[in-house]
Amino acid sequence: MIAVIEKAKDGHIARFERHFMHSVEDVWSWLTENKKLTKWFSELSVEDLREGGMIKFDMQDGTFEEMAIIELKTNSILEYTWGEDSVRFELYQEPEGCRLVFIEKIKVITPHTPKDLAGWHVCLDVINALIDGKKIDSRQDEWKKWYEKYKAVIESL
């Protein structure tokens, strides 16, 4: 399901929802434990898991971008800076597992925005597959498909 993108006071909000047949604690571990995190987003690593702590993005050129953790509530909320924007994971317990809400707060729409949105879309699908013990054969093919959809959505804003 494609993200809902809405105008906000300071830009736009992209909101993704996923339902997992797994506990909040299990899904949380995929967001915060480096051995699991790198399976769905190899460039990310948690350096200091606390409010005010840091997540690092490996730029693949020998440099790293440091992203500050804005809000952290164990098994519930993880929000950190993402360039000029921010990303937020929220987990909610449900009778059959949990619901993950992912929010990207976008200050300025750029030509790169649909690429990021497609990337996050695929990342969430990959988490879902991995947690179920499956895999997505071609992340690039999935990304291309979603990129075209997000490009159309962004162009219509």
Side-chain angles (χ1 to χ4, degrees):
M1 179 189 233
I2 198 159
V4 174
I5 303 165
E6 297 176 322
K7 184 88 176 105
K9 184 178 152 198
D10 298 325
H12 288 81
I13 302 279
R15 180 185 175 96
F16 299 78
E17 279 198 34
R18 296 291 189 278
H19 296 271
F20 295 89
M21 301 299 286
H22 299 273
S23 70
V24 162
E25 294 81 9
D26 197 9
V27 176
W28 180 259
S29 72
W30 284 90
L31 305 176
T32 59
E33 293 177 14
N34 285 332
K35 68 181 192 269
K36 292 181 178 179
L37 175 61
T38 58
K39 290 181 181 178
W40 64 270
F41 205 135
S42 60
E43 295 85 2
L44 291 184
S45 63
V46 175
E47 296 297 310
D48 186 8
L49 189 61
R50 63 176 178 83
E51 264 182 40
M54 182 183 29
I55 294 178
K56 278 190 176 177
F57 188 103
D58 185 343
M59 300 300 285
Q60 306 292 300
D61 63 3
T63 65
F64 294 86
E65 183 174 333
E66 296 180 351
M67 300 175 299
I69 297 174
I70 300 164
E71 186 174 357
L72 180 86
K73 292 188 172 97
T74 303
N75 296 322
S76 178
I77 295 171
L78 173 61
E79 182 175 6
Y80 50 91
T81 58
W82 186 258
E84 297 298 312
D85 303 326
S86 67
V87 294
R88 179 181 179 94
F89 297 86
E90 299 175 357
L91 293 172
Y92 301 94
Q93 192 67 52
E94 293 185 327
E96 300 291 323
C98 74
R99 177 171 48 108
L100 182 147
V101 176
F102 174 83
I103 298 165
E104 182 172 7
K105 296 174 186 169
I106 306 164
K107 287 185 181 169
V108 178
I109 299 285
T110 70
H112 194 77
T113 302
K115 294 176 183 180
D116 266 358
L117 294 171
W120 284 117
H121 189 109
V122 172
C123 282
L124 296 173
D125 289 349
V126 168
I127 293 170
N128 206 2
L130 290 170
I131 203 167
D132 285 341
K134 300 173 185 166
K135 70 176 189 151
I136 292 180
D137 290 327
S138 174
R139 292 182 192 192
Q140 188 62 30
D141 287 347
E142 285 295 307
W143 181 87
K144 286 177 188 173
K145 175 179 83 176
W146 288 108
Y147 170 65
E148 291 304 322
K149 292 179 182 188
Y150 284 106
K151 197 165 119 181
V153 169
I154 294 300
E155 286 170 357
S156 74
L157 294 177

